[in-house]
PDB file of all heavy atoms in Angstrom:
ATOM      1  N   PRO A 636      -3.949-102.352 184.474  1.00  0.00           N
ATOM      2  CA  PRO A 636      -5.108-101.925 183.676  1.00  0.00           C
ATOM      3  C   PRO A 636      -4.907-100.522 183.100  1.00  0.00           C
ATOM      4  O   PRO A 636      -4.291 -99.668 183.715  1.00  0.00           O
ATOM      5  CB  PRO A 636      -6.255-101.930 184.713  1.00  0.00           C
ATOM      6  CG  PRO A 636      -5.787-102.798 185.827  1.00  0.00           C
ATOM      7  CD  PRO A 636      -4.310-102.629 185.882  1.00  0.00           C
ATOM      8  N   ILE A 637      -5.432-100.317 181.895  1.00  0.00           N
ATOM      9  CA  ILE A 637      -5.519 -99.017 181.248  1.00  0.00           C
ATOM     10  C   ILE A 637      -6.994 -98.818 180.918  1.00  0.00           C
ATOM     11  O   ILE A 637      -7.572 -99.553 180.093  1.00  0.00           O
ATOM     12  CB  ILE A 637      -4.635 -98.957 179.983  1.00  0.00           C
ATOM     13  CG1 ILE A 637      -3.177 -99.219 180.318  1.00  0.00           C
ATOM     14  CG2 ILE A 637      -4.799 -97.605 179.292  1.00  0.00           C
ATOM     15  CD1 ILE A 637      -2.272 -99.248 179.129  1.00  0.00           C
ATOM     16  N   ILE A 638      -7.643 -97.815 181.544  1.00  0.00           N
ATOM     17  CA  ILE A 638      -9.104 -97.664 181.467  1.00  0.00           C
ATOM     18  C   ILE A 638      -9.428 -96.364 180.704  1.00  0.00           C
ATOM     19  O   ILE A 638      -8.818 -95.324 180.958  1.00  0.00           O
ATOM     20  CB  ILE A 638      -9.758 -97.576 182.855  1.00  0.00           C
ATOM     21  CG1 ILE A 638      -9.246 -98.750 183.752  1.00  0.00           C
ATOM     22  CG2 ILE A 638     -11.264 -97.584 182.765  1.00  0.00           C
ATOM     23  CD1 ILE A 638      -9.603-100.109 183.243  1.00  0.00           C
ATOM     24  N   SER A 639     -10.344 -96.438 179.781  1.00  0.00           N
ATOM     25  CA  SER A 639     -10.733 -95.224 179.041  1.00  0.00           C
ATOM     26  C   SER A 639     -11.545 -94.325 179.941  1.00  0.00           C
ATOM     27  O   SER A 639     -12.099 -94.766 180.963  1.00  0.00           O
ATOM     28  CB  SER A 639     -11.603 -95.624 177.811  1.00  0.00           C
ATOM     29  OG  SER A 639     -12.814 -96.233 178.223  1.00  0.00           O
ATOM     30  N   LYS A 642     -14.758 -95.509 180.648  1.00  0.00           N
ATOM     31  CA  LYS A 642     -14.720 -96.837 181.241  1.00  0.00           C
ATOM     32  C   LYS A 642     -15.335 -97.933 180.405  1.00  0.00           C
ATOM     33  O   LYS A 642     -15.643 -99.026 180.879  1.00  0.00           O
ATOM     34  CB  LYS A 642     -15.381 -96.840 182.659  1.00  0.00           C
ATOM     35  CG  LYS A 642     -14.698 -95.914 183.614  1.00  0.00           C
ATOM     36  CD  LYS A 642     -15.353 -95.987 185.000  1.00  0.00           C
ATOM     37  CE  LYS A 642     -14.639 -95.052 185.991  1.00  0.00           C
ATOM     38  NZ  LYS A 642     -15.231 -95.139 187.337  1.00  0.00           N
ATOM     39  N   LYS A 643     -15.465 -97.670 179.094  1.00  0.00           N
ATOM     40  CA  LYS A 643     -16.032 -98.677 178.208  1.00  0.00           C
ATOM     41  C   LYS A 643     -14.952 -99.494 177.510  1.00  0.00           C
ATOM     42  O   LYS A 643     -15.227-100.585 177.014  1.00  0.00           O
ATOM     43  CB  LYS A 643     -16.946 -97.998 177.182  1.00  0.00           C
ATOM     44  CG  LYS A 643     -18.202 -97.400 177.781  1.00  0.00           C
ATOM     45  CD  LYS A 643     -19.101 -96.797 176.713  1.00  0.00           C
ATOM     46  CE  LYS A 643     -20.343 -96.182 177.320  1.00  0.00           C
ATOM     47  NZ  LYS A 643     -21.243 -95.608 176.304  1.00  0.00           N
ATOM     48  N   THR A 644     -13.786 -98.933 177.411  1.00  0.00           N
ATOM     49  CA  THR A 644     -12.682 -99.634 176.747  1.00  0.00           C
ATOM     50  C   THR A 644     -11.618 -99.933 177.803  1.00  0.00           C
ATOM     51  O   THR A 644     -11.245 -99.066 178.588  1.00  0.00           O
ATOM     52  CB  THR A 644     -12.056 -98.796 175.641  1.00  0.00           C
ATOM     53  OG1 THR A 644     -13.069 -98.463 174.675  1.00  0.00           O
ATOM     54  CG2 THR A 644     -10.932 -99.565 174.948  1.00  0.00           C
ATOM     55  N   VAL A 645     -11.177-101.175 177.815  1.00  0.00           N
ATOM     56  CA  VAL A 645     -10.233-101.624 178.805  1.00  0.00           C
ATOM     57  C   VAL A 645      -9.007-102.259 178.078  1.00  0.00           C
ATOM     58  O   VAL A 645      -9.167-102.995 177.111  1.00  0.00           O
ATOM     59  CB  VAL A 645     -10.845-102.674 179.760  1.00  0.00           C
ATOM     60  CG1 VAL A 645      -9.816-103.144 180.758  1.00  0.00           C
ATOM     61  CG2 VAL A 645     -12.056-102.071 180.467  1.00  0.00           C
ATOM     62  N   GLY A 646      -7.832-101.917 178.600  1.00  0.00           N
ATOM     63  CA  GLY A 646      -6.637-102.535 178.115  1.00  0.00           C
ATOM     64  C   GLY A 646      -5.652-102.727 179.245  1.00  0.00           C
ATOM     65  O   GLY A 646      -6.026-102.608 180.444  1.00  0.00           O
ATOM     66  N   CYS A 647      -4.448-103.068 178.902  1.00  0.00           N
ATOM     67  CA  CYS A 647      -3.430-103.276 179.965  1.00  0.00           C
ATOM     68  C   CYS A 647      -2.040-103.053 179.369  1.00  0.00           C
ATOM     69  O   CYS A 647      -1.836-103.120 178.150  1.00  0.00           O
ATOM     70  CB  CYS A 647      -3.556-104.661 180.545  1.00  0.00           C
ATOM     71  SG  CYS A 647      -3.219-105.979 179.363  1.00  0.00           S
ATOM     72  N   PHE A 698     -13.507-110.573 175.991  1.00  0.00           N
ATOM     73  CA  PHE A 698     -14.063-109.209 176.177  1.00  0.00           C
ATOM     74  C   PHE A 698     -14.252-108.442 174.871  1.00  0.00           C
ATOM     75  O   PHE A 698     -14.678-107.273 174.884  1.00  0.00           O
ATOM     76  CB  PHE A 698     -13.152-108.402 177.116  1.00  0.00           C
ATOM     77  CG  PHE A 698     -12.879-109.115 178.416  1.00  0.00           C
ATOM     78  CD1 PHE A 698     -11.599-109.245 178.898  1.00  0.00           C
ATOM     79  CD2 PHE A 698     -13.936-109.660 179.157  1.00  0.00           C
ATOM     80  CE1 PHE A 698     -11.337-109.902 180.067  1.00  0.00           C
ATOM     81  CE2 PHE A 698     -13.676-110.312 180.363  1.00  0.00           C
ATOM     82  CZ  PHE A 698     -12.356-110.423 180.815  1.00  0.00           C
ATOM     83  N   GLY A 699     -13.893-109.037 173.750  1.00  0.00           N
ATOM     84  CA  GLY A 699     -14.109-108.370 172.498  1.00  0.00           C
ATOM     85  C   GLY A 699     -12.900-107.652 171.976  1.00  0.00           C
ATOM     86  O   GLY A 699     -11.859-107.516 172.638  1.00  0.00           O
ATOM     87  N   ALA A 700     -13.032-107.111 170.745  1.00  0.00           N
ATOM     88  CA  ALA A 700     -11.906-106.459 170.063  1.00  0.00           C
ATOM     89  C   ALA A 700     -11.503-105.151 170.665  1.00  0.00           C
ATOM     90  O   ALA A 700     -10.482-104.601 170.337  1.00  0.00           O
ATOM     91  CB  ALA A 700     -12.263-106.270 168.588  1.00  0.00           C
ATOM     92  N   HIS A 701     -12.335-104.635 171.575  1.00  0.00           N
ATOM     93  CA  HIS A 701     -11.966-103.357 172.218  1.00  0.00           C
ATOM     94  C   HIS A 701     -10.869-103.520 173.240  1.00  0.00           C
ATOM     95  O   HIS A 701     -10.292-102.532 173.688  1.00  0.00           O
ATOM     96  CB  HIS A 701     -13.203-102.716 172.889  1.00  0.00           C
ATOM     97  CG  HIS A 701     -14.243-102.272 171.917  1.00  0.00           C
ATOM     98  ND1 HIS A 701     -14.030-101.247 170.995  1.00  0.00           N
ATOM     99  CD2 HIS A 701     -15.504-102.730 171.681  1.00  0.00           C
ATOM    100  CE1 HIS A 701     -15.098-101.097 170.259  1.00  0.00           C
ATOM    101  NE2 HIS A 701     -16.017-102.009 170.657  1.00  0.00           N
ATOM    102  N   PHE A 702     -10.555-104.728 173.615  1.00  0.00           N
ATOM    103  CA  PHE A 702      -9.499-104.966 174.584  1.00  0.00           C
ATOM    104  C   PHE A 702      -8.116-104.886 173.863  1.00  0.00           C
ATOM    105  O   PHE A 702      -7.988-105.298 172.725  1.00  0.00           O
ATOM    106  CB  PHE A 702      -9.628-106.357 175.227  1.00  0.00           C
ATOM    107  CG  PHE A 702      -8.617-106.600 176.310  1.00  0.00           C
ATOM    108  CD1 PHE A 702      -8.897-106.236 177.625  1.00  0.00           C
ATOM    109  CD2 PHE A 702      -7.384-107.197 176.052  1.00  0.00           C
ATOM    110  CE1 PHE A 702      -7.973-106.471 178.626  1.00  0.00           C
ATOM    111  CE2 PHE A 702      -6.453-107.431 177.060  1.00  0.00           C
ATOM    112  CZ  PHE A 702      -6.757-107.051 178.359  1.00  0.00           C
ATOM    113  N   PHE A 703      -7.131-104.315 174.522  1.00  0.00           N
ATOM    114  CA  PHE A 703      -5.799-104.209 173.906  1.00  0.00           C
ATOM    115  C   PHE A 703      -4.718-104.448 174.986  1.00  0.00           C
ATOM    116  O   PHE A 703      -4.976-104.263 176.185  1.00  0.00           O
ATOM    117  CB  PHE A 703      -5.600-102.859 173.248  1.00  0.00           C
ATOM    118  CG  PHE A 703      -5.626-101.685 174.211  1.00  0.00           C
ATOM    119  CD1 PHE A 703      -4.449-101.234 174.808  1.00  0.00           C
ATOM    120  CD2 PHE A 703      -6.817-101.023 174.505  1.00  0.00           C
ATOM    121  CE1 PHE A 703      -4.466-100.157 175.700  1.00  0.00           C
ATOM    122  CE2 PHE A 703      -6.829 -99.969 175.394  1.00  0.00           C
ATOM    123  CZ  PHE A 703      -5.672 -99.521 175.986  1.00  0.00           C
ATOM    124  N   VAL A 704      -3.560-104.793 174.515  1.00  0.00           N
ATOM    125  CA  VAL A 704      -2.406-104.991 175.384  1.00  0.00           C
ATOM    126  C   VAL A 704      -1.261-104.143 174.866  1.00  0.00           C
ATOM    127  O   VAL A 704      -1.047-104.063 173.657  1.00  0.00           O
ATOM    128  CB  VAL A 704      -1.979-106.476 175.483  1.00  0.00           C
ATOM    129  CG1 VAL A 704      -1.542-107.018 174.136  1.00  0.00           C
ATOM    130  CG2 VAL A 704      -0.857-106.656 176.526  1.00  0.00           C
ATOM    131  N   TYR A 844      -7.200 -92.184 178.105  1.00  0.00           N
ATOM    132  CA  TYR A 844      -6.975 -93.361 178.918  1.00  0.00           C
ATOM    133  C   TYR A 844      -6.254 -92.972 180.213  1.00  0.00           C
ATOM    134  O   TYR A 844      -5.416 -92.054 180.234  1.00  0.00           O
ATOM    135  CB  TYR A 844      -6.131 -94.390 178.177  1.00  0.00           C
ATOM    136  CG  TYR A 844      -6.828 -94.997 176.989  1.00  0.00           C
ATOM    137  CD1 TYR A 844      -6.600 -94.534 175.694  1.00  0.00           C
ATOM    138  CD2 TYR A 844      -7.706 -96.073 177.174  1.00  0.00           C
ATOM    139  CE1 TYR A 844      -7.220 -95.074 174.601  1.00  0.00           C
ATOM    140  CE2 TYR A 844      -8.364 -96.631 176.059  1.00  0.00           C
ATOM    141  CZ  TYR A 844      -8.099 -96.125 174.782  1.00  0.00           C
ATOM    142  OH  TYR A 844      -8.760 -96.683 173.693  1.00  0.00           O
ATOM    143  N   PHE A 859      -4.965-110.430 187.380  1.00  0.00           N
ATOM    144  CA  PHE A 859      -5.496-109.418 186.455  1.00  0.00           C
ATOM    145  C   PHE A 859      -6.772-109.930 185.791  1.00  0.00           C
ATOM    146  O   PHE A 859      -7.721-109.152 185.599  1.00  0.00           O
ATOM    147  CB  PHE A 859      -4.444-109.100 185.394  1.00  0.00           C
ATOM    148  CG  PHE A 859      -4.908-108.108 184.373  1.00  0.00           C
ATOM    149  CD1 PHE A 859      -4.916-106.743 184.629  1.00  0.00           C
ATOM    150  CD2 PHE A 859      -5.411-108.548 183.153  1.00  0.00           C
ATOM    151  CE1 PHE A 859      -5.390-105.878 183.680  1.00  0.00           C
ATOM    152  CE2 PHE A 859      -5.852-107.641 182.186  1.00  0.00           C
ATOM    153  CZ  PHE A 859      -5.841-106.284 182.458  1.00  0.00           C
ATOM    154  N   TYR A 862      -9.479-109.361 188.216  1.00  0.00           N
ATOM    155  CA  TYR A 862      -9.774-107.956 188.360  1.00  0.00           C
ATOM    156  C   TYR A 862     -10.586-107.438 187.152  1.00  0.00           C
ATOM    157  O   TYR A 862     -11.576-106.719 187.335  1.00  0.00           O
ATOM    158  CB  TYR A 862      -8.474-107.162 188.498  1.00  0.00           C
ATOM    159  CG  TYR A 862      -8.691-105.653 188.470  1.00  0.00           C
ATOM    160  CD1 TYR A 862      -9.038-104.961 189.614  1.00  0.00           C
ATOM    161  CD2 TYR A 862      -8.555-104.956 187.250  1.00  0.00           C
ATOM    162  CE1 TYR A 862      -9.211-103.586 189.565  1.00  0.00           C
ATOM    163  CE2 TYR A 862      -8.744-103.584 187.192  1.00  0.00           C
ATOM    164  CZ  TYR A 862      -9.079-102.911 188.347  1.00  0.00           C
ATOM    165  OH  TYR A 862      -9.322-101.563 188.287  1.00  0.00           O
ATOM    166  N   ILE A 863     -10.143-107.766 185.974  1.00  0.00           N
ATOM    167  CA  ILE A 863     -10.784-107.185 184.818  1.00  0.00           C
ATOM    168  C   ILE A 863     -12.192-107.693 184.638  1.00  0.00           C
ATOM    169  O   ILE A 863     -13.101-106.987 184.164  1.00  0.00           O
ATOM    170  CB  ILE A 863      -9.936-107.432 183.557  1.00  0.00           C
ATOM    171  CG1 ILE A 863     -10.270-106.412 182.460  1.00  0.00           C
ATOM    172  CG2 ILE A 863     -10.081-108.844 183.019  1.00  0.00           C
ATOM    173  CD1 ILE A 863      -9.874-105.003 182.847  1.00  0.00           C
ATOM    174  N   PHE A 866     -14.254-105.808 187.119  1.00  0.00           N
ATOM    175  CA  PHE A 866     -14.432-104.398 186.708  1.00  0.00           C
ATOM    176  C   PHE A 866     -15.485-104.302 185.593  1.00  0.00           C
ATOM    177  O   PHE A 866     -16.372-103.422 185.618  1.00  0.00           O
ATOM    178  CB  PHE A 866     -13.111-103.843 186.206  1.00  0.00           C
ATOM    179  CG  PHE A 866     -13.179-102.404 185.789  1.00  0.00           C
ATOM    180  CD1 PHE A 866     -13.112-101.375 186.714  1.00  0.00           C
ATOM    181  CD2 PHE A 866     -13.378-102.088 184.426  1.00  0.00           C
ATOM    182  CE1 PHE A 866     -13.195-100.038 186.284  1.00  0.00           C
ATOM    183  CE2 PHE A 866     -13.461-100.770 184.021  1.00  0.00           C
ATOM    184  CZ  PHE A 866     -13.373 -99.735 184.950  1.00  0.00           C
ATOM    185  N   ILE A 867     -15.433-105.170 184.626  1.00  0.00           N
ATOM    186  CA  ILE A 867     -16.380-105.131 183.521  1.00  0.00           C
ATOM    187  C   ILE A 867     -17.788-105.471 183.977  1.00  0.00           C
ATOM    188  O   ILE A 867     -18.785-104.841 183.571  1.00  0.00           O
ATOM    189  CB  ILE A 867     -15.908-106.055 182.409  1.00  0.00           C
ATOM    190  CG1 ILE A 867     -14.614-105.543 181.740  1.00  0.00           C
ATOM    191  CG2 ILE A 867     -16.983-106.202 181.320  1.00  0.00           C
ATOM    192  CD1 ILE A 867     -14.020-106.437 180.693  1.00  0.00           C
ATOM    193  N   GLN A 870     -19.180-102.481 185.668  1.00  0.00           N
ATOM    194  CA  GLN A 870     -19.616-101.440 184.744  1.00  0.00           C
ATOM    195  C   GLN A 870     -20.897-101.829 184.029  1.00  0.00           C
ATOM    196  O   GLN A 870     -21.742-100.967 183.733  1.00  0.00           O
ATOM    197  CB  GLN A 870     -18.476-101.195 183.694  1.00  0.00           C
ATOM    198  CG  GLN A 870     -17.220-100.639 184.299  1.00  0.00           C
ATOM    199  CD  GLN A 870     -17.427 -99.311 185.043  1.00  0.00           C
ATOM    200  OE1 GLN A 870     -18.155 -98.416 184.600  1.00  0.00           O
ATOM    201  NE2 GLN A 870     -16.860 -99.232 186.242  1.00  0.00           N
TER     202      GLN A 870
END
Side-chain angles (χ1 to χ4, degrees):
I637 300 176
I638 311 297
S639 65
K642 298 183 180 181
K643 293 182 179 181
T644 303
V645 178
C647 64
F698 307 130
H701 293 294
F702 185 88
F703 64 90
V704 63
Y844 293 97
F859 178 80
Y862 172 85
I863 203 66
F866 181 83
I867 292 176
Q870 295 303 316

